[in-house]
Amino acid sequence: MSQKVTSDILKKGASVLWVAARAEPRLLIAAVLSSGLYAATTVGSASVLGRVTQDVVLPAFRDGRTTMGTLVLGGLAIVGVALLKALGVAGRRLYAGMVQYNMQAAYRRAVTRQYLRLPLAWHQRHPTGRLLSNANADVEAAWAPLAPLPMALGVVLMLVIAAIAILATDLVVAIVGFLVFPAIAGLNVIYQRRLAPVAAHAQRLRAGVSEVAHESFEGALVVKTLGREADETERFAAVAAELREANVAVGRLRGLFDPVLEALPNLGVLAVLLVGSIRLRSGAMSPGDLVHVAYLFTLLSFPIRALGWVLAEVPRSVVGWERVQNVLEATGSLPYGDRSVEGAGPARLEVRAVRFGYTDDDVLHDVAFTAEPGRTIAVVGPTGSGKSTLTNLLVRLVDPAGGQVLLDGVDARDVKRHGLSATTALVPQQAFLFDDTVRGNVALGLDVPDEDVWEALRLAQADGFVSALADGLDTHVGERGATLSGGQRQRLALARALIRRPRLLVLDDATSSVDPQVEARILDGLRDSAATVVVVAYRKATIELADDVVYIERGRVVAQGPHKELLERSAGYRALVTAYERAAEEPVPDEDEENEENEEAVA
Amino acid sequence: MTAVQTQPRSGLATLRRGLALTPEFRRGITGTLLLALVATAGRVVVPVAVQQTMDRGLRAHGGPDIGFIRTAVILCAVAVLMTAVAAYLMNIRLYRTSENGLAALRVRAFRHVHDLSMLTQSGERRGSLVSRVTSDVDQMSQFMQYGGLMIIIAGGQLIVATVLMAVYSWPLALLVWAVFAPLAFALRIFQRWLSKAYGAVRERVGDMLSAVGESVVGAPVIRAYGAEERTARRIDESVGAYRDAQVRAQSLVALTFPSTELAAAIATAGVVMAGTALGVGGHLTAGKLVAFLFLVTLFVSPLQVATEVLNDAQNAIAGWQRVLGVLDMTPDVADPGPAGVELPRGAIDVRFEDVSFAYPGGPTVLHDVSARIAPRSRIAVVGETGSGKTTFAKLLTRMMDPASGRVLIDGVPLTEVRFSSLRERIVMVPQDGFLFDASLADNIRFGRPEASDEDIHRVLTELGLGDWLDGLPEGPATPVGQRGESLSAGERQLVALARAYLADPDLLVLDEATSAVDPATEVRLQRAIESVTRGRTAVSIAHRLSTAEAADEVLVFDQGHLVQRGPHAALVAEPGRYAELYASWAAQLKI
């Protein structure tokens, strides 16, 4: 069973490498040829040294004289072979490296293209950390065997040459050799097979340690406020201890196999000497032959392990490849139509019987409303009622499970690629900024003059703080906009939407971190924009801006109409919107007395 | 601004400091070193012995001496086996000791990061703090268990080969050294190039990861704004730059690595030529020359290893220095430890005495604030963004220490209170309710892990969130996702609030803890908080002034100054900052 699994993995590993061979045939051939050169010269250097000894050195000693010419010739032969060998090594390293890096780069591009292509629903099903490691560690693992591969192929060649050389020298010694080499190779295979699962386990645990550290440091404020440092350390210590044990398990295998693999060639040489000396006595071979064979043994003992290196990387490579393939083969695409919704002036939005759910439970049920061109619709509802989900549907970040979202009568699904992003703009609750300049974040790929950027910043009430920044529009905002406050981030996100002069503007509680006075000015500015606006809001001033209100509770539209009308018609709406005034009017909650009694009872 | 200072420490100083901070590394080190000595000796002696056997046995006068060869082969085989056994035993000990030490170092560094103040933490890129306890330590592990050993063995081999070469023929030994001396010099230069090239590679990795990260985390924005092509371009650039940096580094490796090979060949050729010349002059025998050639190979191989391993060594030392850099940062907000004061439970009294605060290198954001918060009072802190109200909360909870002045609770300076006691009695709910990737219930019991499911139900019911809980697909077992992202921003705040409430503090500080929650829920929560904090002290920072109306007292901040304080009714009646804030708030409420 495990035998079958291993051969399966090797087969898969070979097919992964075949992909690389087809993608980068020239570089790979160059690498293998260089490696072959290295192999041939490695064996050759032994022969050259032997020949120089035999033909130059020994005669010189015997005869007591030599000529400068023969000496220099001998020296040049040695250096010449080494030069070729060096060329082989350099070529192998460079070309093998290039194959590996090119493949990594190509697949990183392919994987991230998928991220950009796949629908948001797919993103929501896959944790961030997983997607990051798909593009980084998994791609790296998939192509890791490419580095030692040419060397291993060269070794095979080297073994063949050596085998022929030894066979030609003496059959009996060759038999000893053919026992030792397969033993080394076989032991290596056993070693790598035993090591692979243990090493893979350690690798997984390493990822686990990193995840815990990342989460814990990210939540550092919460850890501090609740004084949970010691418990978090314990949680981390537990995964670190697991990793330690896994590393020690790897170490135990290495500790056992490494000395054995190192001893084997030495024992092989000794065996050759023992057998060889017997052959020597019977006159079957000369001392020079025996030295040559013994030298070949020592030469080969190291490179033969390259076979093991490739095999060691194969299981990880297969796993990495499969995870990368999962991304590349993900089908949940968001197909585009060919309709256009461009035009001047605000768009008409119609939501028809929309149903949506992240899991089996629907978050939105049968939602329907219409926003006539230029109108402003406020979406109001309690926390967790599905408002943000609805905003995602309006700009087609996700598609409804049932029903339709229509823009100027065109189903959002029939709009051509980039058609919607050119006409609609969503400002989400949590502003996301790129590690770029203020200008880059606002323009986001649009080719616009600075005046337009400033105009958008002015509308978003962000021109003040941006002009106070050291480099103005060229100021880098840092990772996720870390150098700005929450309210500043929100205003830049808003400017990013406004600069596009969208025909439909969707604001998802997009000014929650902005001071009320500033928010009021922003809302004033929006009145003049030529867009149909859908705004998720709690504040009355915002709702007041709206021509119509859609009131949602638990994913259903409970009531819709003008604010005043809803105040009268819908008890839930009234309770929600007037909560603050009512709180001010009746400052003493009814349960209070009860509670006090309870407390006394406890005391 | 508060970036980890990695003082340029020498390798030896790093080792000394590192061993002092991680005594685990030294456990059983004598035995391991003895075994290492045997293993090293074996690895050097065995090839020499094999060579001698060949030389003496095969080239003996009057033909091969079979008897000698047999004895020598058996002796060599014993030596080989003993070396293997010693190496095995040493490996096992080495792995155990080093992994123990590294795990301990990891955990210590992790704890230390949590002990650093919020200010220090946020001065660092989060990813870089994570790599202090992950990849930096991994790099050390790799070196300690492979490279470090190789260097020891290589060093031993180099010494033995040099001595033997000198014994056989000192002029030839000098020749070999003459060839390798410039190489050693060149290798140092190569080393510098390589470490620069690898430094560039690491930088490009960082850029690439950050670009890829944006495409994942920023997916909704990219989609909504059709910024796919722009993002793809940015990713392509960083992926390409990374690939180019890798190729550049690899070209250097390809250029430098075979240089030892060439030097070895030149030395060998030189030895052959000079040796033959010496031999002709009668100063050297053929056997000695052949043996000397073997010694040259013995001399070269450690140098080859060194070029491979030195880079590892440099990375490991740099990694260790970075970890030590974190461990050597003194937390600027330090726990007084067992020497500190333990406060008894009960309502908390707070005093601010002339407290000022400035972020390092920044302007003063809080000026001479003095205030007393009476036990059992409900305080609202209001002001515009940037007025200093959040700073006030962070000083009150000792997330930071004041630049001047002091904060006292129950008459004791905050700096003298033990953290264990402080964090039990004062709990803050930050604006961004960070949740851990676990179930809803586990997140709520984060502050009190022993709390039962009934406790959690009770807490949510008392906060008036029972309906909300019932509406969740799996109730308390609902997984919240990474950072709690499966919940809405408002729902995350609900969980964060429940979490703090379950922790049962005597002073609850709410930093706009309900900013993303709908008004009805907020009012309900406010009332629930009021009733459940009865008998305790509560400080709420809010930009919705409904909170202020219900508070016993309002603290009004403006541009870092405490400008007004008093009950809502009194403040709203007098002209001033609060009246202005309230007017614009009220204007928003009215229709």
Side-chain angles (χ1 to χ4, degrees):
Chain A
M1 161 94 189
S2 82
Q3 199 64 31
K4 194 183 168 302
V5 171
T6 327
S7 77
D8 251 21
I9 284 183
L10 285 180
K11 221 180 282 168
K12 278 184 197 157
S15 68
V16 175
L17 293 177
W18 183 240
V19 172
R22 281 213 317 250
E24 296 281 355
R26 284 191 192 161
L27 283 174
L28 197 61
I29 286 172
V32 173
L33 285 181
S34 306
S35 191
L37 180 64
Y38 161 72
T41 48
T42 299
V43 178
S45 64
S47 310
V48 167
L49 197 59
R51 281 291 294 278
V52 170
T53 312
Q54 206 70 35
D55 300 346
V56 179
V57 178
L58 292 181
F61 275 81
R62 197 177 51 228
D63 307 339
R65 64 185 167 79
T66 186
T67 60
M68 200 59 194
T70 35
L71 266 187
V72 169
L73 213 63
L76 280 182
I78 293 171
V79 175
V81 174
L83 204 61
L84 288 177
K85 189 172 167 185
L87 267 180
V89 172
R92 185 195 79 219
R93 290 221 161 205
L94 182 62
Y95 295 128
M98 281 174 74
V99 174
Q100 192 190 6
Y101 305 144
N102 286 353
M103 292 309 286
Q104 283 178 2
Y107 275 77
R108 285 200 170 108
R109 288 189 177 120
V111 165
T112 46
R113 279 297 181 291
Q114 277 293 86
Y115 292 167
L116 295 173
R117 191 187 69 80
L118 286 166
L120 217 58
W122 184 87
H123 277 266
Q124 280 156 351
R125 282 196 307 271
H126 295 84
T128 311
R130 171 74 172 279
L131 297 186
L132 289 179
S133 88
N134 283 156
N136 184 36
D138 290 336
V139 167
E140 206 163 298
W143 303 119
L146 284 174
L149 178 70
M151 168 94 168
L153 292 177
V155 164
V156 172
L157 180 68
M158 206 191 287
L159 283 176
V160 172
I161 299 174
I164 293 170
I166 298 175
L167 260 178
T169 313
D170 186 77
L171 188 66
V172 178
V173 173
I175 290 170
V176 175
F178 294 154
L179 288 177
V180 173
F181 282 131
I184 296 178
L187 197 66
N188 233 313
V189 172
I190 295 173
Y191 176 26
Q192 301 303 348
R193 278 192 190 160
R194 300 235 348 232
L195 187 64
V198 185
H201 180 59
Q203 190 59 36
R204 268 195 304 278
L205 290 175
R206 206 163 288 142
V209 166
S210 165
E211 271 166 37
V212 171
H214 212 283
E215 190 187 42
S216 189
F217 292 167
E218 202 166 1
L221 185 59
V222 173
V223 173
K224 252 187 217 312
T225 52
L226 290 165
R228 306 304 296 171
E229 289 93 343
D231 307 75
E232 280 297 289
T233 308
E234 226 167 81
R235 182 161 83 104
F236 182 75
V239 288
E242 248 185 286
L243 174 60
R244 180 191 62 207
E245 290 314 310
N247 279 343
V248 169
V250 170
R252 236 180 255 131
L253 274 176
R254 279 205 183 137
L256 177 64
F257 278 93
D258 279 347
V260 173
L261 280 172
E262 196 151 317
L264 259 186
N266 280 330
L267 291 177
V269 172
L270 291 173
V272 165
L273 279 180
L274 205 59
V275 176
S277 64
I278 297 166
R279 301 288 294 165
L280 219 59
R281 197 158 52 173
S282 66
M285 63 192 298
S286 70
D289 289 340
L290 189 50
V291 172
H292 180 57
V293 171
Y295 187 64
L296 275 180
F297 262 76
T298 45
L299 271 186
L300 284 172
S301 61
F302 182 67
I304 200 173
R305 296 175 74 171
L307 284 175
W309 299 336
V310 173
L311 291 173
E313 299 287 359
V314 164
R316 263 184 67 213
S317 154
V318 170
V319 173
W321 171 254
E322 279 169 357
R323 290 172 59 142
V324 168
Q325 269 324 91
N326 272 343
V327 175
L328 295 181
E329 283 166 2
T331 44
S333 71
L334 200 64
Y336 295 97
D338 52 9
R339 305 282 301 271
S340 174
V341 285
E342 276 154 44
R348 179 177 191 274
L349 170 73
E350 189 182 352
V351 177
R352 262 190 216 160
V354 160
R355 191 166 63 73
F356 182 82
Y358 296 98
T359 54
D360 295 338
D361 296 302
D362 277 353
V363 177
L364 294 176
H365 318 262
D366 201 24
V367 172
F369 65 89
T370 304
E372 294 299 336
R375 309 274 277 181
T376 297
I377 303 285
V379 176
V380 181
T383 303
S385 57
K387 303 180 297 291
S388 292
T389 304
L390 178 62
T391 62
N392 287 346
L393 284 160
L394 298 185
V395 298
R396 207 189 171 211
L397 287 184
V398 288
D399 278 333
Q404 283 176 298
V405 174
L406 302 157
L407 216 67
D408 285 346
V410 180
D411 190 315
R413 281 169 290 209
D414 296 335
V415 177
K416 65 181 185 191
R417 195 178 158 79
H418 295 316
L420 274 179
S421 57
T423 42
T424 65
L426 165 71
V427 187
Q429 202 169 16
Q430 247 151 6
F432 180 89
L433 296 189
F434 295 87
D435 187 3
D436 199 348
T437 59
V438 170
R439 181 192 290 106
N441 267 295
V442 174
L444 209 63
L446 285 189
D447 192 17
V448 286
D450 281 2
E451 299 86 79
D452 289 15
V453 177
W454 280 116
E455 172 63 16
L457 289 172
R458 200 186 54 71
L459 274 173
Q461 300 293 321
D463 52 336
F465 81 82
V466 171
S467 56
L469 292 172
D471 298 316
L473 291 182
D474 292 315
T475 310
H476 275 267
V477 300
E479 228 183 353
R480 317 256 186 283
T483 59
L484 304 176
S485 76
Q488 289 173 332
R489 284 200 289 272
Q490 283 193 333
R491 280 177 274 170
L492 285 193
L494 187 64
R496 175 193 289 162
L498 295 176
I499 199 171
R500 295 177 149 65
R501 301 180 205 280
R503 303 183 58 216
L504 172 66
L505 178 62
V506 183
L507 305 174
D508 182 6
D509 200 12
T511 48
S512 59
S513 302
V514 177
D515 284 325
Q517 298 87 325
V518 179
E519 190 192 29
R521 289 199 291 273
I522 292 174
L523 296 175
D524 272 346
L526 285 187
R527 255 183 249 272
D528 314 326
S529 75
T532 306
V533 181
V534 175
V535 53
V536 173
Y538 296 130
R539 296 183 190 171
K540 252 193 180 172
T542 320
I543 297 170
E544 189 195 6
L545 258 178
D547 303 295
D548 265 324
V549 175
V550 176
Y551 177 61
I552 299 184
E553 255 179 34
R554 293 211 177 169
R556 288 178 201 282
V557 175
V558 179
Q560 54 180 310
H563 169 70
K564 290 224 167 85
E565 204 182 304
L566 285 202
L567 271 183
E568 283 164 29
R569 260 198 304 143
S570 167
Y573 180 72
R574 191 166 52 240
L576 187 85
V577 175
T578 61
Y580 295 136
E581 289 120 295
R582 284 184 302 112
E585 280 159 20
E586 30 172 309
V588 186
D590 350 301
E591 322 107 296
D592 241 41
E593 277 174 63
E594 255 176 76
N595 265 336
E596 256 179 2
E597 275 167 31
N598 282 347
E599 260 208 8
E600 274 165 18
V602 170
Chain B
M1 71 201 144
T2 42
V4 173
Q5 298 293 321
T6 17
Q7 306 91 324
R9 230 195 292 244
S10 74
L12 207 63
T14 303
L15 193 71
R16 208 174 301 128
R17 179 90 185 113
L19 287 180
L21 280 174
T22 316
E24 286 86 347
F25 283 136
R26 285 184 308 213
R27 195 159 302 149
I29 193 142
T30 331
T32 311
L33 280 181
L34 277 177
L35 285 168
L37 205 66
V38 175
T40 306
R43 282 174 85 162
V44 178
V45 166
V46 165
V48 175
V50 171
Q51 167 65 22
Q52 286 295 303
T53 309
M54 280 164 53
D55 214 35
R56 298 237 169 117
L58 286 174
R59 293 178 208 281
H61 286 291
D65 181 347
I66 309 294
F68 175 81
I69 292 178
R70 269 190 207 150
T71 324
V73 163
I74 290 166
L75 281 177
C76 282
V78 171
V80 168
L81 291 177
M82 269 176 56
T83 307
V85 171
Y88 167 70
L89 291 175
M90 175 205 64
N91 281 344
I92 299 295
R93 291 174 68 109
L94 184 71
Y95 276 103
R96 177 51 76 186
T97 321
S98 60
E99 284 301 329
N100 277 346
L102 291 170
L105 182 67
R106 241 189 251 279
V107 172
R108 243 162 252 164
F110 177 89
R111 172 66 208 233
H112 200 78
V113 168
H114 271 305
D115 285 342
L116 295 172
S117 76
M118 232 186 63
L119 220 53
T120 319
Q121 285 173 352
S122 55
E124 300 286 328
R125 265 185 158 184
R126 190 164 302 121
S128 81
L129 285 178
V130 173
S131 51
R132 295 301 157 268
V133 297
T134 54
S135 55
D136 284 342
V137 176
D138 293 336
Q139 243 161 13
M140 288 170 60
S141 142
Q142 200 182 353
F143 175 71
M144 281 189 185
Q145 291 156 8
Y146 174 75
L149 214 59
M150 295 304 275
I151 284 185
I152 295 178
I153 291 170
Q157 197 167 328
L158 208 60
I159 293 169
V160 171
T162 307
V163 170
L164 285 179
M165 281 197 307
V167 169
Y168 273 81
S169 165
W170 62 264
L172 290 185
L174 275 182
L175 176 74
V176 172
W177 272 94
V179 173
F180 279 98
L183 180 71
F185 185 69
L187 282 181
R188 281 184 70 97
I189 297 174
F190 291 161
Q191 191 52 41
R192 219 168 300 146
W193 291 352
L194 275 176
S195 79
K196 215 161 148 192
Y198 280 116
V201 169
R202 273 194 298 276
E203 240 170 74
R204 296 289 96 78
V205 180
D207 294 349
M208 181 199 75
L209 287 180
S210 130
V212 172
E214 284 186 345
S215 79
V216 173
V217 184
V221 173
I222 293 166
R223 198 59 43 83
Y225 288 87
E228 287 93 346
E229 260 128 61
R230 172 180 177 275
T231 314
R233 210 169 47 237
R234 278 161 65 99
I235 291 174
D236 282 358
E237 272 167 25
S238 66
V239 167
Y242 176 40
R243 182 250 171 218
D244 293 346
Q246 279 177 308
V247 170
R248 214 167 298 130
Q250 188 70 0
S251 315
L252 269 178
V253 171
L255 190 75
T256 57
F257 186 70
S259 58
T260 35
E261 195 76 53
L262 267 184
I266 293 169
T268 307
V271 166
V272 165
M273 288 158 69
T276 309
L278 281 174
V280 169
H283 300 287
L284 197 71
T285 65
K288 272 195 176 173
L289 178 58
V290 173
F292 198 94
L293 283 177
F294 170 77
L295 288 176
V296 174
T297 10
L298 199 65
F299 181 82
V300 174
S301 65
L303 286 175
Q304 257 163 350
V305 168
T307 47
E308 288 271 273
V309 169
L310 272 179
N311 202 41
D312 269 5
Q314 232 170 27
N315 286 341
I317 288 173
W320 206 351
Q321 272 172 347
R322 285 192 295 268
V323 179
L324 292 178
V326 165
L327 282 172
D328 283 342
M329 285 168 95
T330 21
D332 49 1
V333 177
D335 183 0
V341 180
E342 297 264 3
L343 295 167
R345 301 231 29 177
I348 279 183
D349 161 279
V350 180
R351 248 185 10 243
F352 270 62
E353 289 180 351
D354 297 320
V355 171
S356 295
F357 184 81
Y359 288 95
T364 305
V365 290
L366 212 59
H367 303 269
D368 291 325
V369 171
S370 294
R372 175 159 185 266
I373 296 172
R376 297 183 186 79
S377 60
R378 247 71 55 77
I379 303 292
V381 180
V382 303
E384 283 194 315
T385 308
S387 61
K389 55 188 197 296
T390 293
T391 306
F392 178 79
K394 285 179 180 162
L395 292 171
L396 172 58
T397 50
R398 207 173 169 220
M399 292 293 133
M400 315 185 292
D401 280 336
S404 66
R406 49 184 199 160
V407 182
L408 304 109
I409 60 171
D410 294 347
V412 180
L414 214 46
T415 48
E416 288 168 21
V417 181
R418 271 195 87 164
F419 271 18
S420 52
S421 179
L422 179 73
R423 301 294 181 224
E424 198 180 274
R425 303 202 60 211
I426 303 185
V427 169
M428 175 167 83
V429 185
Q431 184 171 12
D432 173 33
F434 180 89
L435 302 188
F436 292 83
D437 188 5
S439 72
L440 184 86
D442 283 347
N443 268 291
I444 294 178
R445 64 164 75 93
F446 183 71
R448 237 183 70 197
E450 72 279 6
S452 66
D453 284 357
E454 289 79 58
D455 289 336
I456 287 162
H457 255 285
R458 179 182 53 79
V459 162
L460 288 173
T461 318
E462 283 181 9
L463 287 172
L465 299 171
D467 282 353
W468 170 68
L469 182 68
D470 295 339
L472 290 171
E474 294 169 58
T478 306
V480 304
Q482 285 193 331
R483 288 180 286 272
E485 275 161 8
S486 303
L487 302 180
S488 76
E491 288 172 313
R492 286 202 290 275
Q493 289 190 332
L494 299 183
V495 179
L497 196 67
R499 171 168 66 192
Y501 172 49
L502 180 70
D504 191 26
D506 292 318
L507 168 59
L508 191 61
V509 181
L510 306 170
D511 182 8
E512 303 199 8
T514 50
S515 61
V517 171
D518 72 76
T521 307
E522 189 181 26
V523 166
R524 224 170 42 240
L525 277 173
Q526 215 83 56
R527 292 206 175 138
I529 292 166
E530 266 168 47
S531 67
V532 298
T533 56
R534 188 129 305 196
R536 308 165 202 222
T537 316
V539 175
S540 309
I541 292 166
H543 63 231
R544 294 184 187 174
L545 295 194
S546 56
T547 314
E549 290 171 43
D552 296 331
E553 197 177 18
V554 183
L555 303 183
V556 187
F557 281 86
D558 189 27
Q559 296 180 8
H561 295 274
L562 175 58
V563 290
Q564 277 178 299
R565 59 175 305 178
H568 163 75
L571 289 182
V572 82
E574 64 187 57
R577 196 76 195 100
Y578 186 75
E580 287 166 36
L581 286 168
Y582 191 78
S584 73
W585 159 253
Q588 285 208 354
L589 286 181
K590 278 201 205 88
I591 291 287

